[in-house]
Amino acid sequence: MALFRRTPIAPLEYSRTLWMRLWVGLVMLFLYAPLFVLMIFSFNDSKRNVVWRGFTTKYYEKALGNDQLVEALVNSLTIAALATIVSLMLGAVAAVMLWRFRFPLKGAIDGTISLPIIVPEICMGVAFLMFFAAIGWPTDLVWPFNLGAITIAHITFCFPFVTMVVRSRLATFNREQEEAAKDLGAGEWAVFRDVLIPHMKPALVAGALLSFTLSLDDFVITYFTSGPDTITFPVKVYSMVRFSVTPEVNAASTILIILTIVLTAVALKLQGVKAIAETH
Amino acid sequence: MAEQDWKSNKRVFAAVSLPTILWVLLFFLIPMAIVWVYSFGENRGLTDIEFSGTLENYKRATEWLYVTIFGKSFAVAALVTLICLIIGFPVAMAITFASEKWRPWLLLGIMLPFWTNLLIRTYALMMLLGTQGYANKGLETLWGGASWFRTLVGMQPLPTWEPVQLLFNNFAVVFGLVYVHLPFMVLPLYAALDRLDRSLIEASLDLGAGHFRTIMRIVVPLAAPGIIAGVMITLIPALGAYLTPDLMGGTDSQMIANVIERQFKKANDWPFGAALSFLLIYAMFILIALQAMRKKVPEVH
């Protein structure tokens, strides 16, 4: 009876005990059930959202036909892409600075760089609101320059995460490689480009994914930083949820959830499930 | 190999340090400094603010109303953290001791909601918890079942089901915050448990301690740094949470972030909002300092 022959549960195989499985299963249900219900009901042919009235994609048509919503989504993706690129450069450079050099006030600078991770979102939102009001940041610029203020704010809270991830990766770097490259005649820039960057690559991919999702996710800071004519996806969804709950929100949310899943899948393809799981 | 002194290669040091330092100065420290300066100012008319160095804003923050809101925010954040710890610890244990094949997927399963937009997760939860939502439907079915069972055993059936108000109250805020912050707790717990020396657990089990006792006496003390990290990582964002209490809370479940927001949008009292937001930042610093002090104590002895 090979089918029923199981190896007995070893003392440390906690995850094979029934209780643990039940607990993990319930937690996963708790985490995913709301999202699944939301996604399923985006196809529901009913305005009231509660009873299943048949399959429809009309709310997707509505959401995609909603110019403001589409504009908000395009804005959000643009900001996320720009913020990711700059955060990667800034974060990598900062990580190299902290990893390679000894300099005065190093502790203070290190601490200040990681402050945006700790300072509550609401306080940073307020700070950017006051900052851009104080310097008189122009509000009526043409796209995509009107997104400048939000992008700057996003870079400020994204790049410390990149620094964190890259720094822990650099800790495993064998400096002899760098010396070997230099002995063979490579200049500083060549070493950076051909030795250090390839070593940092997994951390850069993880950092990019982190920045992109953090930027796409942010509501509070954007809410305070955005002008009247620059709306992002979370800000738009917020006003839709706040003032009129329509199935359109479900459709729009489902699109974003699928985007997140696609991004995760791309990262999995690039790095493998193990590397992704280890980066956080 | 030791770090290089910045003087030995000033050109490279400038290239890697200037962009970072300038950015942090320009787009983080200066904005923060503006908030700080504002917190000592007062409103003069609708738009003018005079920076008079007054402590009036901080004095106002000690009014009973604001003290209770601060206290309540702490209480809610602490409760959320505790619930996350209780729910998250077994999950982290399960992931740690899962097979090589399963572990990354379980981790990914915890992380995927973490990557999903916070607003969308909050909205999804609101759909579920609404008076017409599935939580109420489920409870109604249970109620109906209980009623049917009572008639079966010859008792009076229960009164007809009234939908429970699961949204727009304190329960909803705690529930929503637990929902969005659970991954914050599980990931650091996993990181700590993963580093644990398993032979210690085996030794404890071999010497006759039960699983529960082993976990409480061996695993928890050894994983203490990770538990503290998880508590901090959950407590800090929960304390400053804006979206969940705003969307899921009622009028009596506002947290400190909502009060700050109101000063900037509706009340148009920027100096007072600035003072409140700096008080929140100070609270974070105190929490972090307490944690740092705790770490130092064993070294002294």
Side-chain angles (χ1 to χ4, degrees), chain A residues 128-138 149 152, chain B residues 26-27 30-31 34:
Chain A
F128 284 115
L129 172 71
M130 290 175 150
F131 174 69
F132 288 117
I135 62 168
W137 187 269
I152 287 173
Chain B
L26 213 58
F27 297 122
I30 291 180
I34 293 176

Side-chain angles (χ1 to χ4, degrees), chain A residues 14-15 23 30-32 38 50 93 97 100-102 104 106 118 120 126 156 179 188 216-217 234 238 250, chain B residues 1 3-4 6 9 16-17 23 87 94 97-98 109 113 117-119 123 132 179 211 243 246 264 284 288:
Chain A
Y14 285 111
S15 49
W23 191 270
F30 171 61
L31 286 177
Y32 286 95
L38 175 103
V50 275
V93 159
M97 165 181 83
R100 179 164 163 184
F101 288 103
R102 188 173 61 236
K106 185 172 179 177
I118 306 160
V126 163
T156 302
E179 276 161 24
E188 287 286 350
L216 211 57
D217 189 37
Y238 174 79
N250 291 21
Chain B
M1 204 182 102
E3 289 156 342
Q4 199 178 347
W6 71 284
N9 203 338
V16 292
S17 65
W23 188 282
I87 298 177
F97 294 105
N117 197 297
L118 174 69
L119 186 63
Y123 171 66
Q132 307 273 330
Y179 180 64
H211 280 285
L243 209 54
D246 182 61
F264 283 90
M284 304 288 167
I288 291 164

